[in-house]
Amino acid sequence: MIELLLLLILIVGIVIGVLIYKQRSAARKQDTAPPPPQDPFAGPSTTDTAGDPRNIKAGDMIDWGTERTWIRGTLRLSEGGYVWSEHFLEVEGGKRWLSVEEDPDVELALWTGRPDLTMVPQGKSIELEGVTYKLEEKGSGSYRSEGTTGLKAEGGMDYADYESADGKLLAFERFDHGSWEVSTGEKIHAGTFTIFPGS
């Protein structure tokens, strides 16, 4: 009788041990479950699903909602420790690009080249087409070229940026001591377009 009781206690102990082992194994499997799938185009912010403009590069596609275009080339510009980018868009009959800088927030602007203008950046204000632009900043730095930009792989540049009271932009750039290139632009928001990374 005692042997039978000991055998029953042993069987009950084994059953309890097996149940505890199974519970712990299941809990461990739940802890190591793979993460849910993530949106590959989402930026670092959970509210920004358009992609991170700081990561744009040559070969990426930009969807503006009504049109799509590709980034043909990128200039990485630097002055001291400050870095910003200009991304050249594939467009017909002109030159357009998107500038991206952190100052400290991400600032975006869409630019159009104005080869019809032969101005130079002189003075603290410039009037163009009835709009007065005031000098915001100017300086010299270096560039590194990626993809198709029409420039060398790297070199030097000078710039002068002007802005009107209502937020219109006027910029002057020259590369490797060449002629000044004039462009007009406007500030845009990150949600204005969607970025599809290239291969």
Side-chain angles (χ1 to χ4, degrees):
M1 191 71 176
I2 293 176
E3 291 174 355
L4 185 59
L5 186 61
L6 287 174
L7 185 59
L8 283 174
I9 291 172
L10 182 62
I11 291 172
V12 168
I14 291 172
V15 169
I16 290 173
V18 168
L19 289 173
I20 290 172
Y21 175 77
K22 283 187 177 181
Q23 269 187 326
R24 287 188 179 164
S25 292
R28 264 190 246 121
K29 282 182 185 173
Q30 286 176 351
D31 290 344
T32 59
Q38 300 293 317
D39 178 357
F41 302 119
S45 166
T46 56
T47 60
D48 179 15
T49 58
D52 188 347
R54 293 169 297 184
N55 296 331
I56 295 175
K57 64 189 181 313
D60 289 353
M61 184 179 78
I62 305 292
D63 187 335
W64 301 96
T66 56
E67 65 174 312
R68 287 184 174 174
T69 187
W70 281 262
I71 302 297
R72 294 290 311 276
T74 293
L75 288 180
R76 307 292 180 186
L77 304 145
S78 62
E79 180 185 12
Y82 185 67
V83 180
W84 69 103
S85 300
E86 292 180 359
H87 306 287
F88 293 89
L89 307 174
E90 182 178 58
V91 293
E92 289 183 24
K95 185 176 177 184
R96 299 191 80 200
W97 64 93
L98 176 69
S99 64
V100 180
E101 55 184 294
E102 281 186 274
D103 193 22
D105 298 323
V106 175
E107 296 178 5
L108 308 172
L110 187 60
W111 299 90
T112 300
R114 296 290 306 268
D116 56 310
L117 301 174
T118 56
M119 309 164 64
V120 294
Q122 291 179 336
K124 294 192 186 268
S125 67
I126 292 178
E127 187 163 330
L128 173 65
E129 298 168 344
V131 178
T132 301
Y133 296 86
K134 296 202 179 292
L135 180 65
E136 291 290 309
E137 59 184 328
K138 65 179 181 176
S140 299
S142 61
Y143 71 83
R144 188 170 40 84
S145 178
E146 302 168 1
T148 303
T149 64
L151 295 171
K152 301 185 305 185
E154 55 185 48
M157 56 89 67
D158 303 298
Y159 70 93
D161 293 334
Y162 290 76
E163 186 173 347
S164 70
D166 60 354
K168 292 178 181 167
L169 306 173
L170 175 66
F172 296 83
E173 292 179 318
R174 69 178 174 189
F175 299 93
D176 304 312
H177 306 294
S179 300
W180 285 105
E181 297 177 18
V182 186
S183 55
T184 53
E186 60 180 328
K187 296 177 183 179
I188 60 172
H189 301 290
T192 308
F193 56 88
T194 301
I195 304 162
F196 294 96
S199 56

